[in-house]
Amino acid sequence: MSTDSAPDDDSGPGRHFEPDLRSMTRINLRPIASPMPLGFFTIAIASVMTGCLQLGIFEEEARAAVAFCVLPAFVLQLLVSFLAFGARDVIAATLMGIFAGSWLAYALVMFSGTADGLRVLGVFNLALLCFGALMTAVTRPKRALWLVLAVSLPRWAATGLSGLTGAEWLTRTSGALGLAVALVAMYTAFALMLEDMRSEQVLPIGRSGPAHLAVEGDLAVQLRNLERQAGVRRTL
């Protein structure tokens, strides 16, 4: 009479071992053109339109026309946000997505012409101020984004307070700050476009830390910790 040998410990009931799939795994990356110049140029143009309205260059009757001019900024910056997510840049994607939503809210409220529209936008801009303050804490290595945020913070504060108080000088201050935001965003967009065309930094942008390595580092730096990034790991 023969007896069967005892099974291996590794094949015992309730135990499961996954095979090592690293040798069979391939991660494909899709190079895309940088969407950031489009995003910054959009911020600049929309800021000029809203700033001119606040400065009194346009009459109050032009509010609907300004809203129509700002509305495309929502579409363009939403596109930039999608592309930035695809480029694995969560900071740029989040910032551009929030900017897109802010232009849509502004355009709809201004076009509606409701009596309390400016007060609603006032609270909305103060909420944006809180968001921007948090974003400035994480965007310092990306000086281009940080500088646009740094100029946008006082504008959001002035716009929010002017909407709640109705103070004319705050409205004018917000308009002037809007033109300052436009200048900073225009410079940043132009600098990034030149850099992309010539494959080197032409105008100073002020990258540091990981943002500097992302441009100056080799391919090994770009692929570091790739297996832990969103879209590759199993859960967010």
Side-chain angles (χ1 to χ4, degrees):
M1 184 174 64
S2 62
T3 59
D4 293 329
S5 59
D8 253 359
D9 288 343
D10 288 349
S11 60
R15 304 190 66 178
H16 175 68
F17 293 89
E18 293 185 357
D20 187 354
L21 301 178
R22 286 176 294 182
S23 61
M24 297 182 286
T25 301
R26 296 292 182 271
I27 299 174
N28 297 317
L29 303 178
R30 182 184 61 183
I32 63 172
S34 173
M36 298 311 293
L38 173 61
F40 285 122
F41 274 129
T42 302
I43 291 174
I45 295 170
S47 296
V48 167
M49 299 305 299
T50 56
C52 287
L53 180 63
Q54 291 173 313
L55 286 172
I57 298 175
F58 300 140
E59 300 294 335
E60 284 298 315
E61 292 76 12
R63 290 171 58 177
V66 172
F68 273 119
C69 290
V70 170
L71 188 58
F74 159 70
V75 179
L76 294 175
Q77 292 210 267
L78 188 62
L79 173 62
V80 172
S81 179
F82 284 150
L83 293 175
F85 276 121
R88 301 178 293 134
D89 192 333
V90 67
I91 294 177
T94 301
L95 184 63
M96 290 297 167
I98 295 297
F99 267 113
S102 69
W103 297 128
L104 177 62
Y106 177 88
L108 293 179
V109 171
M110 294 298 285
F111 181 73
S112 67
T114 55
D116 288 336
L118 293 180
R119 290 179 59 84
V120 171
L121 285 178
V123 176
F124 182 73
N125 276 276
L126 292 179
L128 284 176
L129 176 64
C130 297
F131 158 78
L134 293 175
M135 287 294 291
T136 53
V138 296
T139 56
R140 185 170 291 274
K142 294 175 173 288
R143 294 296 172 84
L145 289 174
W146 182 88
L147 189 57
V148 172
L149 273 174
V151 183
S152 297
L153 289 178
R155 193 202 183 189
W156 286 330
T159 304
L161 293 176
S162 68
L164 293 177
T165 64
E168 188 70 18
W169 70 272
L170 283 173
T171 302
R172 297 290 186 258
T173 301
S174 177
L177 289 170
L179 298 184
V181 171
L183 288 175
V184 173
M186 193 79 70
Y187 168 83
T188 303
F190 185 64
L192 290 174
M193 186 172 291
L194 281 180
E195 180 182 82
D196 189 71
M197 291 175 60
R198 302 188 184 182
S199 299
E200 62 179 2
Q201 181 173 289
V202 180
L203 296 175
I205 299 178
R207 290 189 184 93
S208 62
H212 176 73
L213 290 176
V215 176
E216 301 295 336
D218 57 17
L219 185 60
V221 174
Q222 311 306 311
L223 302 181
R224 186 180 299 164
N225 296 325
L226 182 62
E227 68 275 10
R228 297 182 180 87
Q229 295 186 9
V232 179
R233 62 179 187 264
R234 182 171 297 176
T235 178
L236 296 176

Short mmCIF file of all heavy atoms in Angstrom, two decimals, residues 100-149:
data_model
loop_
_atom_site.label_atom_id
_atom_site.label_comp_id
_atom_site.label_asym_id
_atom_site.label_seq_id
_atom_site.Cartn_x
_atom_site.Cartn_y
_atom_site.Cartn_z
N ALA A 100 -10.47 77.18 -15.08
CA ALA A 100 -11.53 76.95 -16.07
C ALA A 100 -12.90 77.09 -15.43
O ALA A 100 -13.80 77.76 -15.97
CB ALA A 100 -11.37 75.56 -16.69
N GLY A 101 -13.07 76.48 -14.26
CA GLY A 101 -14.35 76.59 -13.58
C GLY A 101 -14.68 78.02 -13.17
O GLY A 101 -15.85 78.44 -13.22
N SER A 102 -13.66 78.79 -12.79
CA SER A 102 -13.90 80.17 -12.37
C SER A 102 -14.36 81.03 -13.55
O SER A 102 -15.23 81.89 -13.39
CB SER A 102 -12.62 80.76 -11.75
OG SER A 102 -11.60 80.95 -12.71
N TRP A 103 -13.78 80.80 -14.73
CA TRP A 103 -14.22 81.58 -15.90
C TRP A 103 -15.66 81.23 -16.27
O TRP A 103 -16.44 82.11 -16.67
CB TRP A 103 -13.30 81.34 -17.09
CG TRP A 103 -11.89 81.78 -16.90
CD1 TRP A 103 -10.76 81.04 -17.11
CD2 TRP A 103 -11.43 83.08 -16.47
NE1 TRP A 103 -9.64 81.78 -16.82
CE2 TRP A 103 -10.01 83.03 -16.43
CE3 TRP A 103 -12.07 84.24 -16.11
CZ2 TRP A 103 -9.25 84.12 -16.05
CZ3 TRP A 103 -11.31 85.34 -15.71
CH2 TRP A 103 -9.91 85.27 -15.70
N LEU A 104 -16.03 79.96 -16.16
CA LEU A 104 -17.40 79.56 -16.48
C LEU A 104 -18.38 80.21 -15.50
O LEU A 104 -19.42 80.75 -15.91
CB LEU A 104 -17.53 78.04 -16.43
CG LEU A 104 -18.94 77.49 -16.67
CD1 LEU A 104 -19.42 77.86 -18.07
CD2 LEU A 104 -18.98 75.98 -16.46
N ALA A 105 -18.05 80.16 -14.21
CA ALA A 105 -18.93 80.77 -13.21
C ALA A 105 -19.07 82.27 -13.45
O ALA A 105 -20.18 82.82 -13.39
CB ALA A 105 -18.38 80.49 -11.81
N TYR A 106 -17.96 82.95 -13.72
CA TYR A 106 -17.99 84.39 -13.97
C TYR A 106 -18.87 84.71 -15.18
O TYR A 106 -19.72 85.62 -15.13
CB TYR A 106 -16.58 84.91 -14.19
CG TYR A 106 -16.52 86.38 -14.54
CD1 TYR A 106 -16.45 87.35 -13.55
CD2 TYR A 106 -16.53 86.81 -15.87
CE1 TYR A 106 -16.40 88.70 -13.86
CE2 TYR A 106 -16.48 88.15 -16.19
CZ TYR A 106 -16.41 89.09 -15.18
OH TYR A 106 -16.37 90.43 -15.50
N ALA A 107 -18.66 83.96 -16.27
CA ALA A 107 -19.40 84.24 -17.50
C ALA A 107 -20.90 84.05 -17.30
O ALA A 107 -21.72 84.87 -17.73
CB ALA A 107 -18.89 83.36 -18.63
N LEU A 108 -21.29 82.97 -16.62
CA LEU A 108 -22.72 82.69 -16.43
C LEU A 108 -23.38 83.72 -15.52
O LEU A 108 -24.50 84.18 -15.78
CB LEU A 108 -22.89 81.27 -15.88
CG LEU A 108 -22.51 80.12 -16.81
CD1 LEU A 108 -22.70 78.78 -16.12
CD2 LEU A 108 -23.30 80.17 -18.11
N VAL A 109 -22.68 84.08 -14.43
CA VAL A 109 -23.27 85.06 -13.50
C VAL A 109 -23.38 86.43 -14.16
O VAL A 109 -24.41 87.11 -14.04
CB VAL A 109 -22.43 85.13 -12.20
CG1 VAL A 109 -22.90 86.28 -11.33
CG2 VAL A 109 -22.55 83.82 -11.43
N MET A 110 -22.33 86.84 -14.85
CA MET A 110 -22.36 88.16 -15.48
C MET A 110 -23.40 88.21 -16.61
O MET A 110 -24.07 89.23 -16.80
CB MET A 110 -20.98 88.52 -16.03
CG MET A 110 -19.93 88.71 -14.96
SD MET A 110 -20.30 90.07 -13.82
CE MET A 110 -19.91 91.47 -14.86
N PHE A 111 -23.54 87.13 -17.34
CA PHE A 111 -24.52 87.12 -18.43
C PHE A 111 -25.94 87.11 -17.90
O PHE A 111 -26.84 87.69 -18.51
CB PHE A 111 -24.29 85.90 -19.32
CG PHE A 111 -25.23 85.82 -20.48
CD1 PHE A 111 -25.11 86.68 -21.56
CD2 PHE A 111 -26.26 84.89 -20.50
CE1 PHE A 111 -25.99 86.62 -22.64
CE2 PHE A 111 -27.14 84.83 -21.57
CZ PHE A 111 -27.01 85.69 -22.63
N SER A 112 -26.16 86.46 -16.75
CA SER A 112 -27.51 86.40 -16.19
C SER A 112 -27.99 87.77 -15.73
O SER A 112 -29.18 88.07 -15.77
CB SER A 112 -27.56 85.41 -15.03
OG SER A 112 -26.78 85.90 -13.93
N GLY A 113 -27.05 88.61 -15.23
CA GLY A 113 -27.42 89.95 -14.80
C GLY A 113 -28.29 90.00 -13.56
O GLY A 113 -29.02 90.97 -13.36
N THR A 114 -28.23 88.98 -12.71
CA THR A 114 -29.03 88.95 -11.49
C THR A 114 -28.58 90.04 -10.53
O THR A 114 -27.42 90.46 -10.53
CB THR A 114 -28.92 87.58 -10.80
OG1 THR A 114 -27.53 87.30 -10.55
CG2 THR A 114 -29.49 86.49 -11.68
N ALA A 115 -29.52 90.47 -9.68
CA ALA A 115 -29.24 91.60 -8.79
C ALA A 115 -28.12 91.29 -7.80
O ALA A 115 -27.30 92.16 -7.48
CB ALA A 115 -30.52 91.99 -8.04
N ASP A 116 -28.08 90.08 -7.28
CA ASP A 116 -27.07 89.70 -6.29
C ASP A 116 -25.88 88.99 -6.92
O ASP A 116 -25.11 88.33 -6.22
CB ASP A 116 -27.69 88.80 -5.22
CG ASP A 116 -28.62 89.56 -4.29
OD1 ASP A 116 -28.44 90.79 -4.18
OD2 ASP A 116 -29.53 88.94 -3.71
N GLY A 117 -25.72 89.12 -8.24
CA GLY A 117 -24.64 88.41 -8.92
C GLY A 117 -23.27 88.80 -8.42
O GLY A 117 -22.40 87.94 -8.23
N LEU A 118 -23.04 90.10 -8.19
CA LEU A 118 -21.73 90.55 -7.74
C LEU A 118 -21.42 90.05 -6.33
O LEU A 118 -20.27 89.74 -6.02
CB LEU A 118 -21.65 92.07 -7.81
CG LEU A 118 -21.69 92.67 -9.22
CD1 LEU A 118 -21.60 94.20 -9.16
CD2 LEU A 118 -20.56 92.11 -10.08
N ARG A 119 -22.44 89.98 -5.48
CA ARG A 119 -22.22 89.44 -4.13
C ARG A 119 -21.87 87.96 -4.18
O ARG A 119 -21.01 87.48 -3.45
CB ARG A 119 -23.45 89.67 -3.26
CG ARG A 119 -23.68 91.13 -2.88
CD ARG A 119 -24.92 91.28 -2.03
NE ARG A 119 -24.82 90.51 -0.80
CZ ARG A 119 -24.20 90.93 0.30
NH1 ARG A 119 -23.61 92.12 0.32
NH2 ARG A 119 -24.16 90.17 1.38
N VAL A 120 -22.56 87.24 -5.06
CA VAL A 120 -22.26 85.81 -5.22
C VAL A 120 -20.83 85.64 -5.72
O VAL A 120 -20.07 84.79 -5.21
CB VAL A 120 -23.26 85.16 -6.19
CG1 VAL A 120 -22.83 83.73 -6.54
CG2 VAL A 120 -24.66 85.15 -5.57
N LEU A 121 -20.43 86.43 -6.71
CA LEU A 121 -19.05 86.37 -7.22
C LEU A 121 -18.06 86.79 -6.15
O LEU A 121 -16.92 86.31 -6.13
CB LEU A 121 -18.90 87.25 -8.45
CG LEU A 121 -19.51 86.72 -9.75
CD1 LEU A 121 -19.31 87.72 -10.88
CD2 LEU A 121 -18.89 85.37 -10.13
N GLY A 122 -18.47 87.68 -5.24
CA GLY A 122 -17.60 88.08 -4.15
C GLY A 122 -17.24 86.90 -3.26
O GLY A 122 -16.07 86.66 -2.94
N VAL A 123 -18.26 86.15 -2.85
CA VAL A 123 -18.01 84.96 -2.02
C VAL A 123 -17.21 83.93 -2.80
O VAL A 123 -16.29 83.29 -2.27
CB VAL A 123 -19.35 84.36 -1.54
CG1 VAL A 123 -19.11 83.06 -0.77
CG2 VAL A 123 -20.09 85.36 -0.67
N PHE A 124 -17.53 83.80 -4.08
CA PHE A 124 -16.82 82.83 -4.92
C PHE A 124 -15.34 83.18 -5.02
O PHE A 124 -14.47 82.30 -4.93
CB PHE A 124 -17.45 82.82 -6.32
CG PHE A 124 -16.84 81.84 -7.27
CD1 PHE A 124 -17.06 80.49 -7.14
CD2 PHE A 124 -16.05 82.27 -8.32
CE1 PHE A 124 -16.50 79.58 -8.01
CE2 PHE A 124 -15.47 81.38 -9.20
CZ PHE A 124 -15.71 80.02 -9.05
N ASN A 125 -15.02 84.45 -5.16
CA ASN A 125 -13.62 84.86 -5.26
C ASN A 125 -12.88 84.71 -3.93
O ASN A 125 -11.69 84.41 -3.92
CB ASN A 125 -13.53 86.31 -5.74
CG ASN A 125 -13.60 86.43 -7.25
OD1 ASN A 125 -12.62 86.29 -7.96
ND2 ASN A 125 -14.81 86.66 -7.75
N LEU A 126 -13.57 84.87 -2.83
CA LEU A 126 -12.92 84.62 -1.53
C LEU A 126 -12.63 83.12 -1.36
O LEU A 126 -11.62 82.75 -0.75
CB LEU A 126 -13.80 85.14 -0.40
CG LEU A 126 -13.94 86.66 -0.33
CD1 LEU A 126 -14.85 87.06 0.81
CD2 LEU A 126 -12.57 87.34 -0.19
N ALA A 127 -13.51 82.27 -1.89
CA ALA A 127 -13.23 80.84 -1.88
C ALA A 127 -12.01 80.52 -2.76
O ALA A 127 -11.16 79.69 -2.40
CB ALA A 127 -14.45 80.05 -2.35
N LEU A 128 -11.92 81.19 -3.92
CA LEU A 128 -10.75 81.03 -4.77
C LEU A 128 -9.48 81.50 -4.05
O LEU A 128 -8.40 80.92 -4.24
CB LEU A 128 -10.92 81.81 -6.07
CG LEU A 128 -11.84 81.21 -7.14
CD1 LEU A 128 -11.95 82.18 -8.31
CD2 LEU A 128 -11.33 79.87 -7.60
N LEU A 129 -9.62 82.53 -3.23
CA LEU A 129 -8.48 83.03 -2.48
C LEU A 129 -7.94 81.95 -1.53
O LEU A 129 -6.72 81.76 -1.43
CB LEU A 129 -8.89 84.27 -1.69
CG LEU A 129 -7.84 84.88 -0.75
CD1 LEU A 129 -6.65 85.40 -1.55
CD2 LEU A 129 -8.46 86.00 0.08
N CYS A 130 -8.83 81.23 -0.87
CA CYS A 130 -8.40 80.14 0.02
C CYS A 130 -7.71 79.03 -0.78
O CYS A 130 -6.67 78.50 -0.37
CB CYS A 130 -9.60 79.58 0.78
SG CYS A 130 -10.38 80.77 1.88
N PHE A 131 -8.29 78.70 -1.92
CA PHE A 131 -7.68 77.69 -2.79
C PHE A 131 -6.29 78.13 -3.24
O PHE A 131 -5.33 77.36 -3.19
CB PHE A 131 -8.57 77.44 -4.00
CG PHE A 131 -7.86 76.85 -5.18
CD1 PHE A 131 -7.54 75.51 -5.23
CD2 PHE A 131 -7.49 77.66 -6.27
CE1 PHE A 131 -6.87 74.97 -6.32
CE2 PHE A 131 -6.83 77.13 -7.36
CZ PHE A 131 -6.52 75.77 -7.38
N GLY A 132 -6.17 79.38 -3.68
CA GLY A 132 -4.89 79.88 -4.17
C GLY A 132 -3.84 79.91 -3.08
O GLY A 132 -2.66 79.62 -3.34
N ALA A 133 -4.25 80.24 -1.85
CA ALA A 133 -3.29 80.26 -0.75
C ALA A 133 -2.72 78.86 -0.49
O ALA A 133 -1.53 78.71 -0.21
CB ALA A 133 -3.96 80.80 0.51
N LEU A 134 -3.56 77.85 -0.60
CA LEU A 134 -3.08 76.48 -0.42
C LEU A 134 -2.17 76.06 -1.58
O LEU A 134 -1.15 75.38 -1.38
CB LEU A 134 -4.26 75.51 -0.31
CG LEU A 134 -5.14 75.66 0.93
CD1 LEU A 134 -6.34 74.72 0.85
CD2 LEU A 134 -4.34 75.37 2.20
N MET A 135 -2.54 76.47 -2.81
CA MET A 135 -1.75 76.08 -3.98
C MET A 135 -0.37 76.73 -3.98
O MET A 135 0.61 76.13 -4.46
CB MET A 135 -2.49 76.45 -5.26
CG MET A 135 -3.68 75.57 -5.56
SD MET A 135 -3.23 73.85 -5.92
CE MET A 135 -2.41 74.03 -7.50
N THR A 136 -0.25 77.94 -3.44
CA THR A 136 1.06 78.59 -3.42
C THR A 136 2.05 77.83 -2.55
O THR A 136 3.27 77.94 -2.75
CB THR A 136 0.95 80.03 -2.89
OG1 THR A 136 0.28 80.04 -1.62
CG2 THR A 136 0.21 80.91 -3.87
N ALA A 137 1.54 77.03 -1.61
CA ALA A 137 2.43 76.26 -0.74
C ALA A 137 3.09 75.10 -1.47
O ALA A 137 4.14 74.62 -1.03
CB ALA A 137 1.65 75.75 0.47
N VAL A 138 2.50 74.65 -2.58
CA VAL A 138 3.04 73.48 -3.27
C VAL A 138 3.59 73.82 -4.65
O VAL A 138 4.18 72.95 -5.31
CB VAL A 138 1.97 72.37 -3.41
CG1 VAL A 138 1.55 71.86 -2.04
CG2 VAL A 138 0.74 72.87 -4.18
N THR A 139 3.40 75.04 -5.11
CA THR A 139 3.85 75.38 -6.47
C THR A 139 5.15 76.17 -6.51
O THR A 139 5.57 76.59 -7.58
CB THR A 139 2.77 76.23 -7.19
OG1 THR A 139 2.48 77.39 -6.40
CG2 THR A 139 1.50 75.43 -7.39
N ARG A 140 5.80 76.35 -5.36
CA ARG A 140 7.02 77.17 -5.35
C ARG A 140 8.09 76.64 -6.31
O ARG A 140 8.76 77.44 -6.99
CB ARG A 140 7.58 77.29 -3.94
CG ARG A 140 8.79 78.22 -3.85
CD ARG A 140 9.14 78.50 -2.39
NE ARG A 140 8.12 79.30 -1.75
CZ ARG A 140 8.09 80.63 -1.80
NH1 ARG A 140 9.01 81.28 -2.47
NH2 ARG A 140 7.14 81.30 -1.19
N PRO A 141 8.34 75.30 -6.42
CA PRO A 141 9.32 74.85 -7.41
C PRO A 141 8.95 75.23 -8.84
O PRO A 141 9.82 75.35 -9.70
CB PRO A 141 9.35 73.33 -7.23
CG PRO A 141 8.87 73.12 -5.83
CD PRO A 141 7.84 74.18 -5.61
N LYS A 142 7.65 75.38 -9.10
CA LYS A 142 7.19 75.82 -10.43
C LYS A 142 6.96 77.32 -10.35
O LYS A 142 5.83 77.79 -10.17
CB LYS A 142 5.90 75.09 -10.80
CG LYS A 142 6.06 73.60 -10.99
CD LYS A 142 4.70 72.97 -11.23
CE LYS A 142 4.83 71.52 -11.60
NZ LYS A 142 5.37 71.30 -12.93
N ARG A 143 8.01 78.10 -10.48
CA ARG A 143 7.91 79.53 -10.24
C ARG A 143 6.93 80.23 -11.18
O ARG A 143 6.35 81.25 -10.83
CB ARG A 143 9.29 80.17 -10.35
CG ARG A 143 10.26 79.74 -9.28
CD ARG A 143 9.81 80.18 -7.90
NE ARG A 143 10.63 79.62 -6.84
CZ ARG A 143 11.78 80.14 -6.43
NH1 ARG A 143 12.24 81.24 -7.02
NH2 ARG A 143 12.45 79.58 -5.46
N ALA A 144 6.76 79.69 -12.39
CA ALA A 144 5.82 80.31 -13.33
C ALA A 144 4.40 80.25 -12.77
O ALA A 144 3.69 81.25 -12.71
CB ALA A 144 5.90 79.60 -14.68
N LEU A 145 3.99 79.04 -12.34
CA LEU A 145 2.68 78.90 -11.74
C LEU A 145 2.58 79.70 -10.45
O LEU A 145 1.56 80.35 -10.17
CB LEU A 145 2.39 77.42 -11.46
CG LEU A 145 2.13 76.51 -12.66
CD1 LEU A 145 2.02 75.07 -12.20
CD2 LEU A 145 0.88 76.92 -13.39
N TRP A 146 3.63 79.64 -9.65
CA TRP A 146 3.62 80.34 -8.36
C TRP A 146 3.47 81.84 -8.54
O TRP A 146 2.72 82.49 -7.79
CB TRP A 146 4.91 80.02 -7.61
CG TRP A 146 4.98 80.65 -6.25
CD1 TRP A 146 4.50 80.12 -5.09
CD2 TRP A 146 5.55 81.92 -5.92
NE1 TRP A 146 4.73 80.99 -4.05
CE2 TRP A 146 5.37 82.10 -4.53
CE3 TRP A 146 6.18 82.91 -6.66
CZ2 TRP A 146 5.81 83.24 -3.87
CZ3 TRP A 146 6.62 84.06 -6.00
CH2 TRP A 146 6.44 84.21 -4.62
N LEU A 147 4.16 82.41 -9.53
CA LEU A 147 4.09 83.85 -9.74
C LEU A 147 2.70 84.29 -10.19
O LEU A 147 2.17 85.31 -9.73
CB LEU A 147 5.14 84.28 -10.77
CG LEU A 147 5.35 85.79 -10.93
CD1 LEU A 147 5.73 86.42 -9.60
CD2 LEU A 147 6.42 86.07 -11.97
N VAL A 148 2.08 83.51 -11.08
CA VAL A 148 0.72 83.83 -11.51
C VAL A 148 -0.23 83.76 -10.32
O VAL A 148 -1.11 84.62 -10.15
CB VAL A 148 0.26 82.87 -12.63
CG1 VAL A 148 -1.21 83.06 -12.95
CG2 VAL A 148 1.09 83.10 -13.89
N LEU A 149 -0.06 82.76 -9.47
CA LEU A 149 -0.89 82.65 -8.27
C LEU A 149 -0.64 83.81 -7.31
O LEU A 149 -1.58 84.37 -6.74
CB LEU A 149 -0.61 81.33 -7.56
CG LEU A 149 -1.40 80.11 -8.03
CD1 LEU A 149 -0.90 78.86 -7.32
CD2 LEU A 149 -2.89 80.29 -7.77
#
